[in-house]
Amino acid sequence: DIQMTQSPSSLSASVGDRVTITCQASQDISNYLNWYQQKPGKAPKLLIYDASNLETGVPSRFSGSGSGTDFTFTISSLQPEDIATYYCQQYDNLPRTFGPGTKVDIK
Amino acid sequence: EVQLVESGGGLVQPGGSLRLSCAASGFTFSSYWMSWVRQAPGKGLEWVANIKQDGSEKYYVDSVKGRFTISRDNAKNSLYLQMNSLRAEDTAVYYCARGRDYYRHWGQGTLVTVSS
């Protein structure tokens, strides 16, 4: 199975700050990497697919980059509504696997 | 509007069985792979299984192989997960999701609690 790691596991930042989350795969997954946002008590929401493609309707302050084993997710200017847990997910191989999540809150 | 509505969760004893359903609407159900993803209380997301459009291919995470069966009824626009020999570690919110590689649409989830 492909193991996904994320760092940090949690972070606190101020409104307007740039926030960066990294995701690392245990083997080369090309660009087969997605990012989700999950708010408490809600289903996950797809934000980024294929490592860098912004899902329709998602604000442009969210972005993704990377390929191979190392990926980055960025919020360019943190907003109060971005408080959530963010997960990366690979689809290069079965089983599909998710990272452990990064909890983002406001300082 | 795409809608996925799960049902069938509840409290079950270890070793018991449960069948989850997911009713789909707002899209051509028979054209999409479908998946189940679960989330244990306070934990992260875990992919459980997926099924091809015509049901001819099914894949499972190792921890549920031989115990869970994914199926679908395209005439009823419904996805199912038959869960047998349930264990405490199967306790989770179970989501159905549309897609094979990425999940653009999710249901609200149904809670399965395995406890005596």
Side-chain angles (χ1 to χ4, degrees):
Chain A
D1 297 4
I2 296 175
Q3 308 303 316
M4 307 299 293
T5 57
Q6 284 182 237
S7 62
S9 57
S10 65
L11 66 90
S12 289
S14 300
V15 173
D17 281 355
R18 184 180 186 87
V19 168
T20 299
I21 298 168
T22 63
C23 174
Q24 188 168 57
S26 59
Q27 65 187 66
D28 188 334
I29 60 169
S30 185
N31 67 330
Y32 302 140
L33 190 284
N34 307 313
W35 289 95
Y36 299 86
Q37 175 194 65
Q38 187 179 34
K39 297 183 178 180
K42 300 294 187 181
K45 175 185 177 182
L46 177 67
L47 299 181
I48 303 285
Y49 62 95
D50 296 347
S52 61
N53 292 312
L54 190 67
E55 174 67 354
T56 302
V58 173
S60 59
R61 64 180 179 273
F62 296 101
S63 64
S65 64
S67 67
T69 61
D70 296 302
F71 302 86
T72 300
F73 173 82
T74 300
I75 307 173
S76 61
S77 177
L78 186 67
Q79 299 302 303
E81 60 266 32
D82 300 336
I83 300 313
T85 300
Y86 293 84
Y87 295 93
C88 59
Q89 174 244 324
Q90 66 80 22
Y91 64 94
D92 181 63
N93 261 347
L94 288 169
R96 304 300 190 228
T97 47
F98 291 85
T102 296
K103 188 173 183 180
V104 175
D105 63 26
I106 298 288
K107 191 183 295 181
Chain B
E1 178 195 4
V2 172
Q3 280 203 316
L4 298 169
V5 179
E6 301 94 338
S7 60
L11 175 63
V12 61
Q13 292 188 339
S17 298
L18 216 51
R19 188 196 197 206
L20 305 184
S21 300
C22 172
S25 60
F27 65 102
T28 304
F29 180 73
S30 58
S31 295
Y32 290 87
W33 279 77
M34 295 295 295
S35 302
W36 287 99
V37 176
R38 68 184 178 182
Q39 186 169 36
K43 303 296 184 183
L45 300 166
E46 181 183 35
W47 175 85
V48 174
N50 64 11
I51 184 169
K52 194 176 180 180
Q53 289 92 329
D54 62 359
S56 61
E57 294 181 33
K58 305 175 184 182
Y59 301 96
Y60 302 90
V61 68
D62 281 351
S63 59
V64 309
K65 280 180 186 174
R67 300 188 299 121
F68 290 12
T69 302
I70 190 172
S71 62
R72 64 191 297 162
D73 185 335
N74 288 340
K76 294 183 177 180
N77 291 335
S78 292
L79 175 72
Y80 306 102
L81 187 67
Q82 177 67 43
M83 305 185 296
N84 299 331
S85 302
L86 282 160
R87 306 167 179 167
E89 55 264 35
D90 296 317
T91 294
V93 173
Y94 285 74
Y95 296 100
C96 70
R98 193 184 82 173
R100 182 191 66 178
D101 299 332
Y102 51 83
Y103 313 115
R104 184 165 275 145
H105 300 281
W106 300 66
Q108 84 289 350
T110 187
L111 176 63
V112 172
T113 303
V114 184
S115 175
S116 54

